[in-house]
């Protein structure tokens, strides 16, 4: 009886294996919702969203009551809604952006299924959803998750329009293109345009390039962008007397449509971090794990196929993926300011190419190639072991037991794989899920204990002091988790503050504070600047500083 039940369970899991892995991935995303928002960018966006929810100013964006002119407002609109519903918590800020990230996985599936088949679609979604890039986007919430979702939705709908000529698909694609631009500016239009335009050029569909139906997209996009454009115009263009970020009388519309995006390539933007042209090629080595080993031959094969198309059999069904990946990658590589997450929105295209490649060619790969992929997965498992038993030694052993069970699944899936495709993909998925669960359930919760601004903010929210100031150290998480705007107190103004006032201060400035009592001490480390000295428990104290909340007597 027990044996039959066990066999039935294994059969059920094997039959619905892809859904089983989706459930594990979504569990990892759900775990990340509860991790503290990290400084600097995500905490800043959370603070702006909290302020927007509090003031109700949705068309004019402010930070600490001052004009904000940097990112488009979609992330703030979405997250402020979550904050209104759930309060100033980590879940509140993250939940709706992560929901859109999952929609991006669904759109990746629909896109790949449309051009290839169901299995390629579901594998493409699993592959991109398990990358380190997507794991990070479900935790460190910025604008890229929203951009990814709307880019993939728009290209799925545009592809559907090409095949069916349904006007509904074109109109919905226009809405999604507008959403992509609301998420990250003109880049939201550039990526789909490069992808679809490149596809039509390479496939020789010249008439479709000049199809007047595309003109329907213009009014739809304009309608979607209208509220933001009105807000930018009335907040900045109508007030030439304003000065923002050192810009005198900036045009909000010009900044959005040109300076913030293309200005980084032309040099008009002052943002620059002197990164080399191959910067993204370096960052992908980690951000595309555990699939980077597969992607190298996939990319070479797809590029080569552009120049060596001889038969219909050797020609890919679409060129959207290769163009959507390569053209934005080249363009962004010329930017004067680069960060790893800038290219995350093109990772779904890489996943589609990998999925098609592994479905059609896995049987042809050598055992050595398979061995290297398995070795790569075991390096991730080893990293999980180091996290659990060395970096932050675990006290409760339920998580190592869970990871051990999942590790056994690596070999089980290899044993029951129905073909070479599953033998490649399923163990890789299991290995990376072990690593990501170790991060979400253990590493990040312990790491964020060293982010003093969020810890102090939560302490303030719990104890409700009448007045709180910061002196020589500020972080956006301080405002977000305390659910208040905490002002600055310089050396002069501190002498005028009443007894009972709390001040957030570093040890170096304690002597300058009027008579006080220490309320709470916090460990302090820039959690996004990890290094070996900090990760090593024996040398960690060399990097960890202290911050204090003090109460004036």
């Amino acid at each position: 009886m027990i044996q039959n039940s066990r066999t039935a369970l294994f059969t059920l899991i094997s039959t619905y294996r892809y859904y089983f892995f989706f459930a594990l991935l979504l569990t990892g995303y759900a775990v990340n919702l509860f991790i503290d928002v990290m400084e600097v960018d995500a905490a800043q966006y959370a603070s702006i969203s909290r302020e927007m929810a509090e003031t109700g100013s949705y068309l004019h964006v402010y930070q600490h009551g001052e004009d904000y002119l940097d990112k488009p407002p979609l992330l703030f609109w979405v997250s402020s809604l979550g904050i209104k519903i759930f309060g100033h918590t980590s879940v509140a800020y993250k939940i709706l952006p992560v929901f859109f990230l999952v929609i991006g996985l669904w759109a990746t599936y629909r896109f790949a299924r449309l051009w290839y088949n169901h299995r390629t679609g579901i594998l493409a979604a699993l592959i991109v959803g398990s990358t380190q890039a997507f794991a990070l986007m479900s935790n460190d919430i910025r604008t890229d998750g929203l951009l990814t979702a709307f880019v993939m939705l728009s290209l799925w709908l545009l592809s559907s329009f090409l095949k069916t000529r349904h006007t509904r698909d074109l109109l919905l694609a226009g809405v999604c293109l507008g959403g992509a631009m609301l998420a990250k500016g003109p880049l939201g239009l550039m990526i789909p345009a490069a992808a679809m335009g490149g596809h039509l050029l390479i496939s020789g569909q010249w008439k479709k390039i000049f199809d007047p139906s595309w003109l329907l997209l213009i009014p739809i996009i304009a309608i979607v962008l209208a509220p933001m454009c009105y807000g930018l115009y009335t907040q900045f263009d109508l007030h030439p007397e304003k000065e923002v970020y050192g810009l005198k009388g900036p045009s909000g519309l010009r900044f959005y449509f040109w300076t913030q995006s293309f200005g980084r390539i032309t040099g008009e933007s002052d943002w620059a971090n002197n990164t080399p042209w191959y910067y993204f090629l370096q960052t992908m080595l980690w951000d595309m794990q555990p699939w980077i080993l597969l992607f190298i031959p996939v990319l070479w094969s797809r590029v080569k196929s552009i120049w060596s198309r001889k038969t219909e059999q050797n020609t890919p069904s679409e060129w959207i993926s290769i163009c959507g990946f390569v053209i934005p990658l080249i363009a962004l590589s010329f930017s004067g300011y680069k960060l790893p997450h800038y290219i995350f929105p093109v990772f779904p295209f890489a996943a589609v190419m990998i999925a098609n490649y592994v479905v059609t060619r896995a049987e042809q790969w050598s055992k050595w190639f398979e061995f290297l992929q398995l070795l790569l997965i075991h390096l991730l498992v080893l990293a999980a072991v180091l996290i659990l038993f060395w970096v932050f030694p675990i006290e409760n052993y339920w998580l190592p037991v869970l990871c051990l069970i999942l590790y056994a699944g690596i070999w089980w899936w290899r044993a029951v794989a129905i073909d070479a495709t599953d033998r490649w993909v399923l163990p890789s998925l299991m290995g990376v899920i072990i690593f990501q669960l170790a991060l979400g359930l253990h590493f990040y919760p312990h790491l964020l204990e060293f982010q003093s601004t969020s810890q102090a903010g939560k302490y303030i929210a719990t104890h409700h002091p009448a007045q709180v100031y910061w002196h020589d150290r500020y972080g956006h998480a301080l405002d977000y988790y305390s659910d208040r705007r905490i002002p600055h107190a310089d050396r002069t103004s501190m002498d005028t503050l009443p007894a009972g006032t709390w001040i957030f201060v570093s040890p170096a400035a304690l002597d300058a504070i009027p008579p006080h009592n220490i309320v709470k001490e916090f460990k302090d480390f820039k959690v996004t600047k990890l290094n070996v000295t900090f990760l090593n428990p024996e040398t960690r104290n060399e990097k960890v500083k202290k911050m204090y909340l003090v109460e004036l007597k």
Side-chain angles (χ1 to χ4, degrees):
M1 182 70 175
I2 296 176
Q3 182 67 30
N4 290 338
S5 299
R6 188 177 303 163
T7 301
L9 176 62
F10 287 160
T11 302
L12 183 67
I13 293 175
S14 182
T15 302
Y16 296 98
R17 58 196 181 280
Y18 298 141
Y19 301 100
F20 169 75
F21 280 102
F22 269 121
L24 289 178
L25 282 181
L26 295 181
T27 298
Y29 292 176
V31 167
N32 289 342
L33 294 177
F34 296 89
I35 298 171
D36 284 356
V37 179
M38 288 191 284
E39 301 279 8
V40 176
D41 287 353
Q44 179 188 22
Y45 303 155
S47 180
I48 293 173
S49 300
R50 185 203 66 81
E51 190 169 342
M52 180 178 285
E54 182 180 86
T55 63
S57 177
Y58 294 99
L59 297 183
H60 296 172
V61 182
Y62 297 99
Q63 181 181 6
H64 297 160
E66 302 291 332
D67 292 310
Y68 175 86
L69 180 61
D70 189 3
K71 299 298 184 214
L74 183 61
L75 176 60
F76 310 135
W77 291 347
V78 168
S79 293
S80 65
L81 176 60
I83 292 168
K84 272 190 170 294
I85 297 172
F86 300 105
H88 57 285
T89 63
S90 303
V91 173
Y93 170 65
K94 295 181 179 184
I95 189 167
L96 292 180
V98 170
F99 170 77
F100 277 98
L101 192 66
V102 175
I103 293 296
L105 295 181
W106 177 75
T108 302
Y109 159 73
R110 294 301 299 263
F111 171 84
R113 191 184 78 166
L114 183 68
W115 286 104
Y116 299 98
N117 52 56
H118 168 74
R119 192 182 191 192
T120 300
I122 203 164
L123 287 177
L126 281 170
I127 287 170
V128 74
S130 60
T131 59
Q132 299 308 312
F134 263 61
L136 183 62
M137 284 195 290
S138 70
N139 177 17
D140 191 21
I141 302 295
R142 309 190 194 199
T143 58
D144 307 282
L146 294 171
L147 174 61
T148 303
F150 282 111
V151 163
M152 292 312 299
L153 283 168
S154 64
L155 281 170
W156 160 51
L157 290 164
L158 289 173
S159 299
S160 180
F161 173 72
L162 281 181
K163 289 177 174 290
T164 66
R165 306 299 296 178
H166 289 159
T167 304
R168 175 198 61 192
D169 291 333
L170 187 63
L171 297 179
L172 289 175
V175 173
C176 293
L177 289 170
M181 295 183 72
L182 283 175
K184 198 96 182 228
L187 185 64
L189 182 61
M190 186 196 83
I191 295 176
M196 186 57 68
H199 167 76
L200 295 176
L201 282 172
I202 294 173
S203 58
Q205 301 181 61
W206 303 98
K207 291 183 179 180
K208 291 185 178 180
I209 294 177
F210 301 101
D211 187 343
S213 299
W214 300 124
L215 296 176
L216 287 174
L217 293 172
I218 297 176
I220 300 300
I221 295 174
I223 291 171
V224 174
L225 296 181
M228 180 200 68
C229 291
Y230 174 81
L232 288 171
Y233 182 76
T234 54
Q235 186 174 4
F236 297 103
D237 294 68
L238 286 181
H239 296 279
E241 75 282 1
K242 287 186 174 182
E243 183 174 336
V244 184
Y245 308 147
L247 302 173
K248 294 184 178 179
S251 166
L253 294 174
R254 175 177 171 77
F255 183 89
Y256 171 81
F257 284 104
W258 181 262
T259 308
Q260 179 66 346
S261 297
F262 302 107
R264 297 187 182 187
I265 299 175
T266 64
E268 293 179 59
S269 174
D270 293 332
W271 285 85
N273 56 0
N274 300 316
T275 48
W277 65 268
Y278 52 83
Y279 174 79
F280 291 125
L281 300 179
Q282 293 177 321
T283 62
M284 280 192 298
L285 294 176
W286 173 250
D287 294 325
M288 202 177 283
Q289 290 290 359
W291 310 105
I292 189 64
L293 185 64
L294 290 176
F295 185 59
I296 294 171
V298 167
L299 183 62
W300 170 248
S301 174
R302 188 60 69 97
V303 171
K304 188 172 65 173
S305 66
I306 296 176
W307 309 106
S308 59
R309 288 173 292 148
K310 296 179 180 179
T311 66
E312 185 66 25
Q313 183 179 359
N314 294 328
T315 302
S317 299
E318 48 84 25
W319 303 99
I320 295 173
S321 299
I322 184 64
C323 294
F325 184 88
V326 171
I327 296 175
L329 175 64
I330 293 173
L332 290 169
S333 294
F334 283 99
S335 172
Y337 189 82
K338 308 182 194 73
L339 290 174
H341 58 87
Y342 286 4
I343 60 163
F344 289 178
V346 303
F347 278 21
F349 302 124
V352 172
M353 290 187 282
I354 293 171
N356 178 57
Y357 198 78
V358 78
V359 167
T360 57
R361 304 194 186 185
E363 296 286 355
Q364 306 169 18
W365 294 342
S366 69
K367 292 294 183 180
W368 279 105
F369 198 33
E370 186 175 349
F371 171 78
L372 289 175
Q373 179 69 8
L374 198 60
L375 176 62
L376 186 63
I377 289 304
H378 276 78
L379 290 176
L380 290 176
V381 173
L382 176 61
V385 172
L386 291 175
I387 287 170
L388 295 175
F389 295 101
W390 179 64
V391 178
F392 296 118
I394 198 162
E395 297 177 0
N396 191 320
Y397 284 90
W398 69 267
L399 182 56
V401 170
L402 173 62
C403 290
L404 184 61
I405 294 172
L406 294 177
Y407 175 75
I410 292 177
W411 299 99
W412 186 77
W413 285 114
R414 280 178 57 81
V416 303
I418 61 173
D419 57 17
T421 298
D422 275 6
R423 194 170 64 247
W424 266 86
V425 173
L426 301 186
S428 298
L429 285 170
M430 188 62 81
V432 75
I433 285 170
I434 292 171
F435 176 68
Q436 290 175 359
L437 286 178
L439 288 179
L441 290 170
H442 185 70
F443 179 75
Y444 279 118
H446 282 80
L447 176 66
L448 269 296
E449 292 176 3
F450 293 85
Q451 184 170 275
S452 61
T453 51
S454 57
Q455 298 300 321
K458 287 188 279 190
Y459 190 85
I460 291 167
T462 301
H463 292 79
H464 307 291
Q467 296 186 61
V468 188
Y469 293 81
W470 63 272
H471 175 53
D472 61 336
R473 170 70 188 281
Y474 172 74
H476 301 285
L478 193 64
D479 283 352
Y480 182 70
Y481 284 103
S482 65
D483 196 24
R484 62 171 79 187
R485 176 188 168 190
I486 297 181
H488 177 232
D490 56 25
R491 292 176 181 267
T492 302
S493 62
M494 281 191 295
D495 293 330
T496 65
L497 297 177
T501 298
W502 287 16
I503 300 177
F504 186 63
V505 61
S506 73
L510 272 180
D511 292 340
I513 304 294
H516 61 272
N517 295 317
I518 293 178
V519 176
K520 183 73 174 177
E521 176 185 297
F522 302 93
K523 295 175 289 187
D524 183 68
F525 177 77
K526 292 184 178 180
V527 297
T528 56
K529 303 290 184 180
L530 293 175
N531 53 59
V532 176
T533 304
F534 174 81
L535 292 175
N536 184 350
E538 296 182 0
T539 59
R540 183 171 298 148
N541 287 336
E542 298 176 16
K543 291 294 182 180
V544 176
K545 300 178 181 179
K546 294 180 180 179
M547 291 296 296
Y548 296 99
L549 275 173
V550 301
E551 181 180 17
L552 299 184
K553 294 182 179 178

